[in-house]
Amino acid sequence: MNWAESEQNCSGMGSQLVVINSKAEQEFLYEQIKQPPRRDDYYIGLFAEKVGQWQWVDKTPYNVTAAFWRKHEPSRGVGENCTVIQNPEKNLNNWNDVRSDKEHYRICEASAVTV
């Protein structure tokens, strides 16, 4: 699905595209995407309405020092306003900015529910 469809798919399940708040969460996702079935790219909940102005889908403030961009990313390419985690990468820095109309897999997250 493209980014908008991915966001809608997550919200339809009562969740959202994943918001990565810590190195521990990035490490967890890094290990999870290596598991079968392996896919290449996964949308996460980071996007830019304006070039270079990144924001999370849940309005969590974007902190560039807590970002995990690949080397030379974000590249600010034409229309590259959404973020994917790329697999495989050899380190935790595996985010890449991509066009929102490209089809990729997605990672959704939901709040924990106590029953």
Side-chain angles (χ1 to χ4, degrees), residues 66-92:
F68 298 92
W69 294 107
R70 292 178 63 208
K71 190 173 185 177
H72 306 298
E73 299 294 344
S75 60
R76 298 182 183 212
V78 175
E80 292 186 344
N81 62 340
C82 296
T83 308
V84 294
I85 288 180
Q86 291 195 305
N87 183 36
E89 277 293 323
K90 304 292 187 227
N91 61 56
L92 290 179

Side-chain angles (χ1 to χ4, degrees), residues 24-95:
E25 190 171 10
Q26 175 70 9
E27 289 171 342
F28 174 79
L29 293 172
Y30 177 78
E31 292 302 324
Q32 293 304 305
I33 64 175
K34 292 185 198 176
Q35 305 302 314
R38 289 188 58 173
R39 307 287 190 229
D40 291 333
D41 297 328
Y42 296 85
Y43 280 121
I44 62 174
L46 185 62
F47 69 101
E49 286 186 359
K50 295 180 181 175
V51 175
Q53 294 183 5
W54 295 98
Q55 57 187 357
W56 291 104
V57 293
D58 70 348
K59 308 298 184 206
T60 296
Y62 170 70
N63 181 352
V64 71
T65 61
F68 298 92
W69 294 107
R70 292 178 63 208
K71 190 173 185 177
H72 306 298
E73 299 294 344
S75 60
R76 298 182 183 212
V78 175
E80 292 186 344
N81 62 340
C82 296
T83 308
V84 294
I85 288 180
Q86 291 195 305
N87 183 36
E89 277 293 323
K90 304 292 187 227
N91 61 56
L92 290 179
N93 294 331
N94 61 359
W95 297 0

